[in-house]
Amino acid sequence: MAGVKGMGMHFYRFDSPGRVKLEKISPEPPDGLGKQEAKARFEELNEELFALQDLMWGARTHSVLMVLQGRDAAGKDGAVKHVVGALNPRGVRVTSFGVPNEVERRHDFLWRVHLHAPGTGEIAIFNRSHYEDVLVVRVKKLAPREIWKERFSLINAFEETLVAGNCILLKYFLHIDAEEQEKRLLAREKDPNDAWKLNVEDWKERALWDEFTEAYEDVIGRCASADAPWIVVPANAKWYRNLVIAESVAEAMRPYRKKWRRTLDEQGKLVRKDLRAWRTGASRR
Ligand code: AMP
Ligand code: MG
């Protein structure tokens, strides 16, 4: 379950179903990893990701979907800003999922989500996702138990469908503790640039901290698989959160690099052959 990386990095990758206890996972960055060192590595990874994205875009055989989940102020928007900021916008799609609108409510819970799944070549990022339908819906009792319980297996089947279509799927839980959340919510309230992001619901949901913890533990425990792992990101420090996300997505894409390169080389050869044939034909005329 645990993923231990170089540079003293630690984060937890769940790639099979099982019991999850979030209180056993520290939301703090590991001791011994400095912020400057982490930032330098983050820059390096961004360059690598940019190159990988370019290869994937050209090869058009695979896609990437990053699902971001976490409590209010856990850093979902910050993760989007920092991780996507380094990519080529041509091939990136970010979708935020809020309270379902009237049309969405008249369809099954996956309908609005599937529409935004990435096409081959693309990287899609979900800021919240289909998981809200087993998280907020469960905790705030927006649907009866029989309904949301059935959704774990529906979600697994849906994600298997995406993976079968060559989607590299990663699901992130941005893990902060209650003190960090309080600090961030209060700081937002004071800052005129940030206050608009707040909502009374944030505080109401904070009061349901333990219920959300249980719901997240169930989600991670039931919907983790080798092809669609959950990654618990220690997110009390923003710089470490960004590093873990970049490192894990690079790690997931890296094994395909040679394959994408080969696909592009073969396509290049075919185009060159066509061009040669065309020039030869033209010179004869
Ligand atoms: P935020 O991401 O904080 O801007 O707000 C989005 C809000 O939409 C959050 O409070 C989510 O819990 C809520 N939300 C997202 N998806 C669903 C859903 N399927 N059902 C109910 N509420 C949802
Ligand atoms: Mg909110």
Side-chain angles (χ1 to χ4, degrees):
M1 146 197 118
V4 181
K5 296 282 134 261
M7 282 182 48
M9 276 186 72
H10 77 108
F11 59 87
Y12 289 85
R13 186 188 150 107
F14 292 88
D15 46 21
S16 57
R19 261 176 69 81
V20 177
K21 270 281 160 220
L22 286 172
E23 65 178 20
K24 297 225 169 93
I25 301 176
S26 168
E28 296 296 337
D31 295 335
L33 174 63
K35 191 169 167 177
Q36 287 319 313
E37 190 189 357
K39 284 198 166 164
R41 175 70 185 143
F42 182 63
E43 293 305 317
E44 222 173 78
L45 284 164
N46 281 343
E47 280 182 30
E48 185 186 1
L49 281 170
F50 190 90
L52 284 165
Q53 182 199 11
D54 225 33
L55 288 174
M56 186 176 80
W57 173 264
R60 296 281 171 145
T61 52
H62 292 77
S63 62
V64 171
L65 172 59
M66 300 163 73
V67 171
L68 299 178
Q69 286 288 160
R71 303 172 200 264
D72 286 299
K76 298 182 292 297
D77 288 300
V80 168
K81 187 153 73 182
H82 287 92
V83 177
V84 179
L87 297 169
N88 184 339
R90 179 187 60 181
V92 185
R93 276 210 277 168
V94 180
T95 312
S96 298
F97 292 97
V99 179
N101 64 29
E102 207 187 314
V103 178
E104 288 166 348
R105 276 203 305 273
R106 287 166 52 206
H107 289 82
D108 70 85
F109 77 107
L110 293 169
W111 178 76
R112 65 171 183 165
V113 179
H114 205 160
L115 193 66
H116 297 282
T120 49
E122 289 178 328
I123 298 180
I125 294 158
F126 287 176
N127 182 346
R128 301 187 191 268
S129 65
H130 43 295
Y131 283 103
E132 292 294 327
D133 291 279
V134 281
L135 290 163
V136 71
V137 166
R138 166 181 178 174
V139 173
K140 291 201 178 161
K141 302 187 167 57
L142 304 178
R145 189 181 174 83
E146 311 85 76
I147 297 285
W148 60 255
K149 277 218 91 162
E150 205 193 339
R151 290 180 176 163
F152 294 114
S153 57
L154 295 172
I155 287 175
N156 288 341
F158 168 61
E159 293 185 357
E160 275 171 38
T161 311
L162 298 182
V163 170
N166 279 355
C167 178
I168 300 166
L169 177 47
L170 298 165
K171 300 166 310 198
Y172 295 93
F173 172 62
L174 307 187
H175 183 39
I176 54 169
D177 58 26
E179 293 72 46
E180 182 65 25
Q181 190 197 40
E182 182 173 32
K183 216 169 78 189
R184 289 186 188 181
L185 290 176
L186 291 172
R188 274 188 189 178
E189 196 172 331
K190 281 207 195 101
D191 186 338
N193 291 322
D194 279 349
W196 65 271
K197 292 183 194 165
L198 290 168
N199 194 315
V200 183
E201 289 306 309
D202 301 344
W203 287 90
K204 288 190 191 160
E205 286 180 20
R206 182 177 155 75
L208 297 166
W209 187 275
D210 292 339
E211 287 83 350
F212 269 103
T213 302
E214 195 189 340
Y216 267 111
E217 288 175 343
D218 259 7
V219 156
I220 298 167
R222 286 169 189 262
C223 300
S225 67
D227 288 333
W230 267 100
I231 293 164
V232 176
V233 183
N236 270 8
K238 296 170 184 174
W239 55 269
Y240 188 65
R241 170 202 73 204
N242 295 339
L243 179 62
V244 168
I245 295 174
E247 189 80 60
S248 57
V249 69
E251 188 181 277
M253 292 175 78
R254 210 175 279 138
Y256 298 96
R257 203 177 63 85
K258 283 195 184 134
K259 204 173 168 170
W260 294 335
R261 181 75 268 162
R262 265 202 309 277
T263 305
L264 293 187
D265 287 347
E266 277 157 21
Q267 278 168 16
K269 273 187 205 150
L270 287 176
V271 173
R272 286 202 192 106
K273 205 173 129 200
D274 277 356
L275 283 170
R276 271 200 306 276
W278 176 74
R279 288 203 183 100
T280 317
S283 67
R284 274 203 210 105
R285 253 177 254 130

